[in-house]
Amino acid sequence: MTDAREVRDKYTAAFNVHDMDALLRTVSPIGVTVSPEGLSQGHEELASYIGQFWEAFPDVHAMVVESFDAGDVAIDELLMVGTHKGPYMMSDGQVITPTGRPVSLRCCYVCTVENGLIVSLRLYFDQLELRAQLGVPCG
C-alpha cells in the first residue's frame, strides 16, 4: 500500500463516520480541494464545505468502487450515497431545499499526498445527474 492510498483511505473512513477532526488530520493545512461546487483551501474552508454537505446529506457515505495508485497519487471511483435532508447549495449558488430523496452519485477523487498529508484533492461528479436525482430541473 502506498502512502497516498493509506492517507486517502483514512480520509474516506473519517468522511464516512462524519469525524471532521480525523478528516482534517489527513489534509495539509494549506491543502486545496476542487469540486464542482468550487475551490477550498486550508482546513477552515474545507471544514465549512464538508460541514454543509453533511448537513444537506446527513447520512452520506462514500462507497469505493475502484482504486488506483500511482506514486503520490490515489484515485478512487466511488458512489456517494445519502438522503437529501438539508439545504444544498449548487455550483450556481442555487440552494435546493430538502427533498427527502435518496442519491447515489458516481464520483471520482484524485488525491495527491506529500509528507503524509493530502495537498490536493479533486472531486468530479455529474452535476446534471445530481439535479435529476434531487428532482430539480436544469436551467
Side-chain angles (χ1 to χ4, degrees), residues 54-68:
W54 285 344
E55 180 183 354
F57 302 95
D59 59 347
V60 70
H61 60 282
M63 299 170 40
V64 177
V65 176
E66 291 286 338
S67 296
F68 178 78

Side-chain angles (χ1 to χ4, degrees), residues 2-43:
T2 67
D3 189 40
R5 170 58 42 207
E6 185 176 336
V7 173
R8 175 70 186 125
D9 287 350
K10 287 179 183 178
Y11 178 99
T12 301
F15 179 88
N16 282 344
V17 297
H18 298 203
D19 184 340
M20 186 65 73
D21 292 333
L23 185 144
L24 292 176
R25 283 193 299 271
T26 67
V27 180
S28 167
I30 59 169
V32 175
T33 302
V34 179
S35 74
E37 290 96 347
L39 173 80
S40 68
Q41 184 168 7
H43 285 179

Side-chain angles (χ1 to χ4, degrees), residues 71-116:
D72 63 354
V73 177
I75 302 166
D76 290 330
E77 175 189 356
L78 51 89
L79 289 175
M80 201 73 73
V81 179
T83 310
H84 183 217
K85 294 184 177 183
Y88 177 67
M89 186 181 310
M90 297 293 292
S91 61
D92 62 3
Q94 176 186 7
V95 176
I96 300 171
T97 58
T99 62
R101 289 177 171 233
V103 296
S104 180
L105 187 62
R106 294 172 295 159
C107 304
C108 179
Y109 270 108
V110 180
C111 173
T112 304
V113 172
E114 292 177 4
N115 300 317

